[in-house]
Amino acid sequence: MTQLDPPGGMVRPAVAYPSALARCVSVEPEKFAAAHWGQTPLLSRAAELPNPAGFTDLLSPDDADELLSRRGLRTPFLRVAKDGQVLPAARYTGGGGAGAEIGDQVLDEKILQLYAGGATLVLQGLHRNWPPLVDFTRELSLAVGQPLQVNAYLTPPGSQGFATHYDTHDVFVLQVDGRKHWRIHPPVLPDPLERQPWGGRADEVTATALGPAALDVVLEPGDALYLPRGWLHSAQAQESSSLHLTVGIRALTRYALVEELLALATEDRRLRATLPFGIDLADPEAIEPELTETVEALRDWLSHADPAAVAGRLRQRAWSASRPAPIRPLAQAAALATLTVDSHVTVRPGLRWQLTATGDQATLRLFDRTITLPAYCEPAVRALLTGEITRVGDLPALDTDADRLTLARRLLQEAALIPG
């Protein structure tokens, strides 16, 4: 059984924030899943959303200035674009000064010149380095069941960072500050894969963008927009500067199933066979018998494909793309040193795990490792990971407190648990 912890975000005094998904869409989750997910855009106005203060709690203009000036930001956590082109990093990075032996730190004075000159700033990977977005993204990822990434776009008044294009992943656009004019057109290639970027269809994209828009709208602070992959879009800041967040949804597709099935098909010797000696690979008639036999062998193999094997490969692919909540290494080490039977521990928020027991061994699979334990530990591990038990001394199916402490320390050291 795979168990996910219940969603949870940052605790903010005096303000009760709604769930991450409710902050992004103005319809019920069931309706969003049935009518919009992967199909059609959804515009949600601030008045329709339960956001008490828009999205400034996630990243404000002052926060962006903090990142650009005082956090030692390096590439690729920043991109700069102007007139539809991404500028070379050398134009805005340089040495970090005495004691910082690196040459690609973002230089605030160069950023000022570029931004004042009309360039768009793209803060990337904010789901990894800005605490409010780390927590928000983790909760939203659990809600949609897919890995996410977050970028922020800071655009000067009247500027447009990128020409009309499409993304190969779905996005939530969250307008934080300023106003931005969006023009949305239907796909030229529905449901594009990552290997099918818009540049390969630039002429079609340009021609379609000249036609009537499916959605022509100005996003105001607190508004949200959902765009499925493939939908064409362009955005231009209005009379003032604009800041919006783009939450990219790196959803797995049916083609991912195909890729994993083909990877497993290497087990079939018929599909590993060498083509005949001297075959003319450019001759369709010479290739036809081999193609027919290969298709038959593949069809036969697919009819016996093991869903468990495919799920195991998909688990590795999906889980490694989403990290659980950050841990505090120093506090974690201190908890290890002072653990007693009266200590309380809890599962690491956002941890994806799978626990099985076979014979005399229990196997705990996490996002980045597999842990093996004696089979008799399985009830105690499950009780901890499901939150049924938090006090170390209450762990079931173990004979002594020494065994309970040993197990709790192991799971704390593996970062599956955190101090409670």
Side-chain angles (χ1 to χ4, degrees), residues 18 31 56 115 188 193 226 243 295 309-310 361 393 411:
K31 182 175 180 180
T56 54
Y115 183 72
V188 298
L193 301 172
Y226 166 73
L243 167 60
V295 169
V310 176
Q361 180 175 287
L411 295 178

Side-chain angles (χ1 to χ4, degrees), residues 240-396:
S240 62
S241 59
S242 166
L243 167 60
H244 78 262
L245 298 170
T246 293
V247 182
I249 307 167
R250 310 308 292 255
L252 294 181
T253 66
R254 285 184 175 173
Y255 193 76
L257 292 175
V258 173
E259 291 174 325
E260 301 306 340
L261 284 167
L262 288 177
L264 290 168
T266 57
E267 299 171 4
D268 191 315
R269 182 175 179 179
R270 294 172 300 171
L271 295 171
R272 301 198 308 269
T274 305
L275 293 176
F277 179 82
I279 188 173
D280 183 356
L281 299 177
D283 182 358
E285 292 186 1
I287 290 295
E288 193 276 333
E290 293 299 320
L291 179 60
T292 299
E293 189 170 342
T294 299
V295 169
E296 290 177 354
L298 182 59
R299 183 185 295 116
D300 181 58
W301 184 88
L302 288 174
S303 68
H304 300 92
D306 180 7
V310 176
R313 295 184 64 90
L314 288 175
R315 181 192 67 243
Q316 295 173 2
R317 188 165 170 170
W319 287 12
S320 63
S322 297
R323 292 185 59 83
I327 60 168
R328 300 168 62 87
L330 302 186
Q332 195 91 347
L336 281 167
T338 59
L339 195 71
T340 70
V341 292
D342 290 321
S343 298
H344 286 260
V345 292
T346 187
V347 67
R348 183 179 178 182
L351 184 74
R352 290 166 167 84
W353 58 270
Q354 186 180 62
L355 180 63
T356 57
T358 305
D360 60 357
Q361 180 175 287
T363 302
L364 175 60
R365 296 180 178 87
L366 304 178
F367 72 102
D368 63 344
R369 73 195 75 181
T370 297
I371 302 167
T372 57
L373 298 161
Y376 61 79
C377 292
E378 191 270 347
V381 174
R382 189 173 298 278
L384 286 168
L385 296 180
T386 58
E388 178 185 343
I389 298 294
T390 61
R391 181 178 175 272
V392 174
D394 294 335
L395 291 178

